Amino acid sequence: MKAENMTKLQFDSLSVNESYARGAAAAFLARYDPTVPQLADIKTAVSEAVTNCIVHAYPDHIGPVVMSIAVYPGREVHITVSDKGVGIPDIPQAMEPLFTTGNPEERSGLGFAVMQSFMDKVKVTSRPGKGTKVLLIKRLAQRE
């Protein structure tokens, strides 16, 4: 299946860039006239995915985060957020609600659960020492 439209951007894993990624996703998808709740869901999932890169992928330095957005026929949106950070050794464990490798006083361990609750599908691939890729999929309903 070929994308009807796509964009790709790269930014540093700085916390100030989380809002940039969220806003860029919303701006790119605005032409598809999503509902306000759909756009809020996507922005929340993007925020969680990017925050995971910032907090977990590069715990002791700044590294690159790449976000790509593609819209396929049927208004199916694919957003990929990837890094070249430390990777995730046990993806099923990492996706368990309340599991975190960060400071439990600062991190709730709900990032993947939040992404899953707002998107139709979330797929995570990772290799320790090589990085992680999170694919977020959501079909935009037709507006009446």
Side-chain angles (χ1 to χ4, degrees):
M1 181 167 47
K2 185 173 177 3
E4 296 175 348
N5 194 10
M6 72 158 306
T7 189
K8 184 176 186 178
L9 51 117
Q10 179 175 315
F11 47 89
D12 287 337
S13 62
L14 298 168
S15 60
V16 295
N17 287 333
E18 176 269 327
S19 62
Y20 166 65
R22 199 176 57 234
F28 181 78
L29 294 171
R31 74 173 295 272
Y32 296 94
D33 197 25
T35 64
V36 171
Q38 288 172 333
L39 200 53
D41 290 353
I42 290 168
K43 288 168 59 177
T44 300
V46 165
S47 177
E48 291 295 332
V50 170
T51 297
N52 277 356
C53 293
I54 293 166
V55 172
H56 301 290
Y58 305 107
D60 56 3
H61 67 283
I62 303 303
V65 178
V66 176
M67 181 175 76
S68 64
I69 307 169
V71 181
Y72 291 90
R75 297 168 53 89
E76 186 173 283
V77 177
H78 290 210
I79 301 171
T80 303
V81 178
S82 59
D83 62 67
K84 295 180 180 179
V86 299
I88 301 172
D90 186 340
I91 294 169
Q93 181 186 39
M95 293 183 78
E96 283 291 318
L98 305 179
F99 176 81
T100 183
T101 58
N103 180 344
E105 291 181 14
E106 297 175 5
R107 302 279 144 222
S108 66
L110 293 174
F112 285 124
V114 168
M115 288 180 240
Q116 290 172 316
S117 70
F118 287 109
M119 302 301 285
D120 297 335
K121 184 174 185 182
V122 176
K123 183 177 180 189
V124 180
T125 55
S126 187
R127 290 190 0 204
K130 301 289 184 185
T132 300
K133 178 168 37 173
V134 175
L135 172 62
L136 307 167
I137 300 174
K138 187 167 193 77
R139 185 174 302 278
L140 300 177
Q142 293 288 347
R143 294 284 295 251
E144 309 230 350

